[in-house]
Amino acid sequence: MSAADDGRSLGQLVAAATAEMSALVHDEIALAKAELRQDVKRGVLGSGAALAAGVLVLFALPVLSFAAAFGIHNLGLGLAWSFLIVGGAYIALALLLLLLALAKFKKVSKSKSPQKSVASAKQSAAVLSHARPHPRAAENGGKERPQLQGVTRSSV
């Protein structure tokens, strides 16, 4: 269908296309916002459920500790020794988790990733500070733009 068949000029068709594109972009943004709201609601509900589960586990821990101590006591050990065994098990578990955390923290401090990224950024800035803008195609006699020599990509 041509502009003459529709009775609209080329300018009117361009204006209509621009308006429809603008409306399409606004609708896409509205859809993205609606999807984001839905994801946030799901995230909040999931976080609430995880928090409730954590609270229930926290409340269950003393009950299970007493059950373990009394279970050991029923095996013939004294009640004080039973509670000491359960407490010692918790301390051993805490020390094991502390050693794991310390090992992870040491790996974080020894990591060279941030230093590599900073060095790469400095190298890129140095290359870009010496770069000149490409000459226009008209200045080259209609030829393609020349390629920069000696520019390498970073490994980031």
Side-chain angles (χ1 to χ4, degrees):
M1 178 187 248
S2 69
D5 295 340
D6 197 11
R8 296 189 284 176
S9 69
L10 183 61
Q12 291 171 335
L13 289 174
V14 170
T18 304
E20 288 176 10
M21 286 297 289
S22 177
L24 179 63
V25 169
H26 286 290
D27 290 344
E28 289 291 328
I29 290 172
L31 178 63
K33 285 181 181 179
E35 290 173 348
L36 186 61
R37 277 189 212 107
Q38 187 177 15
D39 288 345
V40 167
K41 284 181 185 177
R42 288 179 183 156
V44 167
L45 288 175
S47 298
L51 183 65
V55 167
L56 290 176
V57 166
L58 189 63
F59 288 158
L61 191 61
V63 173
L64 294 174
S65 298
F66 276 99
F70 281 113
I72 293 171
H73 175 66
N74 283 339
L75 294 175
L77 217 54
L79 194 57
W81 287 109
S82 300
F83 277 96
L84 281 175
I85 290 172
V86 172
Y90 281 136
I91 289 174
L93 183 62
L95 288 175
L96 181 69
L97 290 173
L98 182 63
L99 288 175
L100 178 70
L102 287 175
K104 294 295 180 182
F105 285 141
K106 285 182 182 180
K107 284 184 182 179
V108 168
S109 65
K110 289 182 181 178
S111 175
K112 298 294 182 190
S113 296
Q115 289 86 5
K116 286 180 183 178
S117 298
V118 169
S120 175
K122 287 181 180 178
Q123 180 183 10
S124 298
V127 167
L128 290 176
S129 68
H130 298 299
R132 286 177 267 141
H134 291 293
R136 303 252 184 253
E139 294 173 3
N140 273 344
K143 297 179 185 174
E144 291 184 5
R145 295 180 179 173
Q147 299 293 324
L148 288 177
Q149 300 298 321
V151 177
T152 59
R153 289 186 169 241
S154 66
S155 62
V156 177

